[in-house]
Structure formats: structure tokens, C-alpha cells
Amino acid sequence: MLLVNTIRDHFETVLEGLQKRNFPHAEAALHQVLELDKNRKETQVERDRLQAESNSTSKEIGALLREGKKEEAEKIKSRTTEIKEQIKLLEDTYSNYEEDLKQLLYTLPNVPHYSVPSGKSADDNEIVFEHGEIPELFEGKLPHWELIKKYDIIDFDLGVKIAGAGFPVYKGRGARLQRALINFFLDEAIKAGFIEIQPPILVNEDSGYGTGQLPDKEGQMYEATADKLYLIPTGEVPITNLYRDVILNEVELPIMNVGHTPCFRREAGSWGAHVRGLNRLHQFDKVEIVQVVHPDKSYEVLEEMSQYVQGLLQKLELPYRVLRLCGGDMGFTSALTYDMEVYSAGQDRWLEVSSVSNFETYQANRLKLRFRGEDKKPQLAHTLNGSALALPRIVAAILENNQIEDGINMPKVLIPYLGFDMI
RNA sequence: AGAGAGGUGUCCGAGUGGUUGAAGGAGCACGCCUGGAAAGUGUGUAUACUCGUGAGGGUAUCGAGGGUUCGAAUCCCUUCCUCUCUGCCA
């Protein structure tokens, strides 16, 4: 979440940032933050003063008792009872201010980077790069939801039987294609210097708050209510939370982690046109890269991560474009996000397959993720993450773009992983 | 899941109501010693909030939350976690 100090010291910047996101009543909210913080501090000063008085009185009583002066001790005991009541009141007031402040801060999204375009929706995103040719397919080309039936590689009906809509069953070469992609993505990441992590895919509430899924996206996650756990919507959650409440040494930076996890999303209310087949699922696999870096490096690293993801798409020979998300379309916790979209020629659409974001200190503040620099003082690190990559839409694009009349060619880089070159 | 034990600073580990933010040790940092190193020795070694221009203060934190008390790491309650045994199991 945002730091109160940032809001105070850079009020205009923060305000403009929130406005760029079309955040309603931004100015009032920010003023309220400062007001609550001021009240909080004033209450704390008074509370601490009384507490100090109470503490020293208690020490006096202890000293008197040790000297055997019971009566004198009894006498000053009465003094503390009164103070205690006041402290209790101030304590309540203090925690109210603190809680209100926290709740309010939870509602404030991150301040966008200056380069983020303003805009309301996905239509206002800025295309910053395009690569590859959109394939000209033969007459009678099929979208992937037809192809998977034709070649019997992914079965949605079976998934419905086992779980429900949006839980596909991958079969035969479909399953093998998926596994090949996972291995390819992980191997590429390891080559690029990432450390592989296999995290839990159920996480506790603290983790949800740490990366910002809670309270903002409550309802998007599946919940194991009996145990108060959430199924992860992305590997970002467990992997970034590995560093919750951690003070790193500056020399340990950058932290580069990669992990393959299934992801679970309820997607409540987001079904409609354009979500057929693999385009939107309740369960899918994703390889996620996460970095924890020095604040001076985070934008450089964001570019590197973007380049890295693009490299994967190039190796898979998929035409893609890179978008800089506008203020209105960016995730709640992000300061700058690039989306990578591949062109899927069977349905003639761009599909988002990766989202690479710099969160600056927004997550780190919630996570209490810090590092100790030269001056020995802990300071908040910057966190970044990106999909590298999300599986189903990549599968969709591979199937659609590489289809021929009687089969589907596999990308060259995958053949060693697959053990076959065609479906 | 049942029975028992336990959770203290970077780590080990003392501490069952009163100058204990916390003994002692290890580690680490800096200094002394040394030709250099080891050993030895001295000093320092948490985090958050907050007051103060600063030096330097205050408050909180001994898994977490609540309670008893003038005062709690120490007593009580709740909860989480770890370990051992039993059960179950990939």
C-alpha cells in the first residue's frame, strides 16, 4: 500500500496518479489519510506520555516495596489507577485511528509511473511494440475449441463432469504439449538466472493481503473455508510472500525466482463473449517470474523482464505485441504494466499471455519486505513479477496459428520436449 | 485426529511477577594486541511508531490475540505453529 509519508511529501503527484486511474474522490481520500495520520500521532504522543508516567510509577512502587515501605507504595498505587483509565481510552482511540487509516490505505491503488498513459479501458492501452507476421491461414481454419475436439487433445465436457465449466481435461498430446511448455519455460528461466521454486498453492490470509489480492479482489479467489486458506490465483502470491517480513542484505539483491503453479480464479461475473475454450478458465497453469530488487534498478529490471518474455514468444514463433497499460486498465497494485498479447489466427484475436509489472514499494510495504543498504537502515525493496508464460492461451495460439489441413505443426523449440513434431 | 512437551534477540540458550529490550555464549562489525594471522582483549550489534534541528528521549514488541496486576517474558484464557509418541496415509 501507499506510504503516508509519500502522500504527505508528494501530495500532488499522488493525487494526479490516482486521478490517472480514475480513482473517485481521490483528493478527499488523500486528505483523510493525512488527517487520520495526524490524529493518530497526536493520540500516540499523549498515550505514550501517560504510559511513561505509569511505567515510572510502577518502578517506584517496586523500589519502595523492596525497601519494605509498604504504606508509601500503597499510597502511590492509587495514582496509577486514574492514569490507567485514561491510557485505556487513548489506546482505543489510537487503534481506531490506526485501523481506519489502514482500511483507507487498503482502498488506494498504487500510483502509476509517469509514463503510464491515461485512459479508461483496454482500448486506451498504448501499443509499444509489435513483432512477427500474422499468419495467413487456409480457408476452413478452425478456432482452437474446434481443433481440440478434432484431434481429441483437450476435453471440456469431461472437465465439467469432474469439476465444472472452465476446468479442462488435457489428454494425450494435449497434455504432453502442456507439460513440454512448462518444462521449456522453466528451463529458459533457469538459463536466465532464475531460481526455481515450488510453492504451496493454497495460501493463508496474510499472504493474500501481502500481495494485494485481499481485500481488493476478495471473491476472485477460491476459498478453502474450513482451513481459512485460499487457492492461489497466480504463483505471484506464494512466491512473493516468501519474502514477507524479511530484511534482506543488499548483496542478496536481486532475488530472481521462477515457479510453475496451477492458478485458480473464480472469474465471477466475467463470462461472456470471447471467453470460449481456453481463453478464460477457472484453473490453468502458469510459469511466473518474480524479482525483488533495489529501488534504483526496478525499471531497468522491468524492461529486462519484458525482453525476457518477448524472447520466449519469439522462440515459440508467435506474433505478438506489447502494450503499456493505461491508468484505467492497470492492476490495483502496479505502477507500470506491460501486457504481451499473441495473435491467435483461428479466432483472429489478440490474446493476453503475459503481464509484467513493477509494483515499486506498494507490495513491499504490505509485505514488510526490506533490505539493508550501506547505511545499515532497512528500506523497502521493489517487487516485480510477470507471467513467463500463462499456458492456455499460448496453447490456443500454437494450435490455431500452426494448423494445416490435416494436423498441427509444433514449434521447433518444443520438439525436444515433446517427442513429436505434429498433432 | 488423540496424548504429552515446547515456542525468548542473527543463532544457541538463561530467565516463574518488579530498573529484563531481556543474563551467558556463538556469530558479525569495529578497535587493541601481532611482522601478518590465530588466540586473547575492548566496544558495539533488533524492529516499528513517535518527540527533538541535533545530541538524545518516549512507547511497544520474549509466536499471535485477550485478561489478571500498581507492575508480566514470567500467572490465566483463546489461538497459531513446532517437536515426540499413538493413529492414519501419498
Side-chain angles (χ1 to χ4, degrees):
Chain A
M1 61 188 141
L2 297 178
L3 292 149
V4 175
N5 284 345
T6 311
I7 296 175
R8 189 172 33 241
D9 299 342
H10 306 283
F11 192 90
E12 286 304 318
T13 315
V14 175
L15 179 59
E16 282 164 26
L18 296 189
Q19 283 165 345
K20 204 191 254 182
R21 279 181 176 274
N22 315 309
F23 185 83
H25 314 299
E27 187 160 9
L30 294 182
H31 279 301
Q32 204 189 340
V33 167
L34 297 183
E35 182 69 15
L36 283 169
D37 187 56
K38 184 166 149 269
N39 293 341
R40 192 197 105 247
K41 277 188 198 175
E42 285 171 2
T43 312
Q44 183 186 348
V45 169
E46 184 59 9
R47 183 202 62 184
D48 285 359
R49 191 183 64 75
L50 288 174
Q51 188 65 57
E53 195 178 329
S54 164
N55 286 350
S56 64
T57 308
S58 290
K59 278 183 187 169
E60 263 181 68
I61 293 171
L64 288 171
L65 287 177
R66 241 173 293 124
E67 293 166 25
K69 298 175 179 168
K70 263 193 178 169
E71 286 169 26
E72 282 184 52
E74 285 302 324
K75 231 163 72 187
I76 58 175
K77 263 193 200 179
S78 60
R79 228 165 69 194
T80 54
T81 15
E82 205 180 318
I83 298 177
K84 266 182 63 182
E85 279 172 33
Q86 292 182 50
I87 292 176
K88 183 119 181 90
L89 279 173
L90 288 168
E91 193 66 57
D92 290 345
T93 313
Y94 179 83
S95 19
N96 283 338
Y97 282 136
E98 203 180 31
E99 184 60 25
D100 289 352
L101 179 60
K102 198 174 84 182
Q103 291 306 327
L104 179 56
L105 287 172
Y106 275 146
T107 68
L108 300 179
N110 202 355
V111 174
H113 188 249
Y114 69 85
S115 69
V116 169
S118 48
K120 290 207 167 87
S121 69
D123 300 332
D124 302 314
N125 294 334
E126 182 189 329
I127 299 169
V128 293
F129 188 73
E130 287 189 72
H131 178 275
E133 297 290 315
I134 289 170
E136 300 274 336
L137 294 179
F138 56 93
E139 195 70 30
K141 66 180 181 183
L142 297 171
H144 69 270
W145 51 87
E146 301 291 347
L147 290 168
I148 60 172
K149 277 186 193 155
K150 181 171 173 188
Y151 299 106
D152 193 25
I153 50 176
I154 300 174
D155 194 323
F156 279 91
D157 296 334
L158 272 179
V160 169
K161 174 174 162 187
I162 304 306
F167 293 93
V169 173
Y170 300 82
K171 302 185 342 192
R173 293 197 166 185
R176 291 169 69 186
L177 171 58
Q178 178 114 284
R179 183 157 54 85
L181 281 165
I182 292 164
N183 285 331
F184 169 66
F185 291 149
L186 285 173
D187 286 351
E188 288 293 312
I190 290 163
K191 270 192 254 168
F194 289 90
I195 307 293
E196 185 177 350
I197 303 287
Q198 286 191 22
I201 57 176
L202 271 82
V203 295
N204 57 28
E205 203 181 41
D206 285 348
S207 299
Y209 276 98
T211 32
Q213 279 69 29
L214 296 173
D216 182 46
K217 286 186 191 158
E218 180 121 52
Q220 278 299 343
M221 289 190 286
Y222 287 98
E223 238 183 299
T225 48
D227 298 287
K228 283 195 184 156
L229 295 171
Y230 296 87
L231 276 82
I232 58 168
T234 158
E236 162 197 354
V237 179
I239 295 174
T240 309
N241 270 282
L242 297 176
Y243 304 95
R244 173 155 44 84
D245 282 317
V246 166
I247 303 179
L248 296 158
N249 265 317
E250 190 170 349
V251 293
E252 297 175 78
L253 302 177
I255 302 270
M256 299 172 76
N257 285 162
V258 61
H260 156 244
T261 66
C263 304
F264 302 89
R265 299 186 181 178
R266 295 187 61 229
E267 302 289 2
S270 62
W271 296 88
H274 294 316
V275 295
R276 289 192 69 175
L278 297 167
N279 290 355
R280 174 160 293 151
L281 300 169
H282 285 308
Q283 177 182 337
F284 62 97
D285 283 65
K286 185 151 65 72
V287 173
E288 183 81 0
I289 50 178
V290 171
Q291 292 210 42
V292 180
V293 306
H294 191 285
D296 295 345
K297 298 273 173 61
S298 65
Y299 280 96
E300 199 179 306
V301 170
L302 181 69
E303 295 306 318
E304 284 169 19
M305 284 172 64
S306 160
Q307 289 304 321
Y308 171 76
V309 172
Q310 292 182 51
L312 295 177
L313 295 172
Q314 286 167 19
K315 286 178 186 173
L316 291 170
E317 300 168 73
L318 293 169
Y320 69 88
R321 62 184 190 185
V322 180
L323 307 178
R324 197 198 313 264
L325 295 195
C326 74
D329 199 32
M330 223 169 37
F332 193 78
T333 53
S334 172
L336 177 57
T337 297
Y338 292 118
D339 270 10
M340 282 65 176
E341 297 185 337
V342 299
Y343 195 83
S344 205
Q347 44 184 325
D348 285 314
R349 279 187 67 204
W350 292 98
L351 300 176
E352 179 196 331
V353 292
S354 177
S355 196
V356 185
S357 302
N358 184 0
F359 304 99
E360 299 191 2
T361 59
Y362 193 91
Q363 287 184 332
N365 187 29
R366 284 199 188 180
L367 292 162
K368 298 199 184 69
L369 164 49
R370 291 162 292 175
F371 71 96
R372 220 184 281 276
E374 294 223 331
D375 61 356
K376 301 283 177 195
K377 273 195 183 160
Q379 62 169 307
L380 293 171
H382 280 193
T383 59
L384 303 98
N385 70 42
S387 351
L389 287 157
L391 273 284
R393 294 179 188 162
I394 290 288
V395 170
I398 288 174
L399 298 178
E400 292 185 11
N401 292 0
N402 299 322
Q403 61 180 306
I404 52 179
E405 309 256 357
D406 54 356
I408 303 167
N409 291 315
M410 293 292 105
K412 283 189 215 68
V413 286
L414 291 185
I415 294 171
Y417 290 92
L418 286 165
F420 56 86
D421 58 10
M422 178 170 259
I423 288 177

